[in-house]
């Protein structure tokens, strides 16, 4: 339950940061510093999403290698 909660919070925060950086990009008004800040935040958000997905697959793989059922991790019935 805790692992699922952490992954959900991570994904929600990542999506929020992607939306925030998109809005920041739009309202930058051509200012190069604001545009670079928005681009950096967007890149870090996408990298964070990739890290979260990678961690999800690593945890699922480790659970299955240890003989567990990774479907409990996904809450699939």
């Amino acid at each position: 339950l805790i692992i699922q909660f952490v992954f959900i919070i991570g994904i929600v925060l990542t999506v929020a940061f992607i939306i925030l950086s998109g809005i920041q990009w739009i309202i930058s008004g051509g200012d190069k510093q604001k545009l670079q800040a928005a681009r950096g935040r967007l890149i870090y958000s996408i990298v964070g999403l990739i890290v979260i997905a990678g961690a999800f697959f690593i945890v699922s793989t480790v659970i299955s290698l240890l003989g567990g059922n990774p479907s409990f991790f996904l809450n699939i019935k």
Side-chain angles (χ1 to χ4, degrees):
L1 183 63
I2 294 172
I3 296 172
Q4 289 175 342
F5 183 70
V6 169
F7 280 126
I8 290 171
I9 293 296
I11 290 171
V12 168
L13 285 174
T14 303
V15 170
F17 277 119
I18 289 173
I19 291 170
L20 180 65
S21 61
I23 292 170
Q24 186 180 9
W25 190 311
I26 291 171
I27 64 172
S28 67
D31 186 11
K32 290 194 178 221
Q33 286 181 336
K34 289 181 181 179
L35 187 62
Q36 259 185 332
R39 183 180 296 147
R41 181 176 287 159
L42 182 65
I43 289 171
Y44 290 141
S45 298
I46 292 172
V47 169
L49 187 61
I50 292 170
V51 168
I52 290 171
F56 177 80
F57 290 119
I58 288 171
V59 169
S60 295
T61 303
V62 168
I63 289 173
S64 65
L65 287 175
L66 293 176
N69 185 7
S71 66
F72 89 92
F73 184 65
L74 298 171
N75 218 3
I76 299 172
K77 295 179 181 180

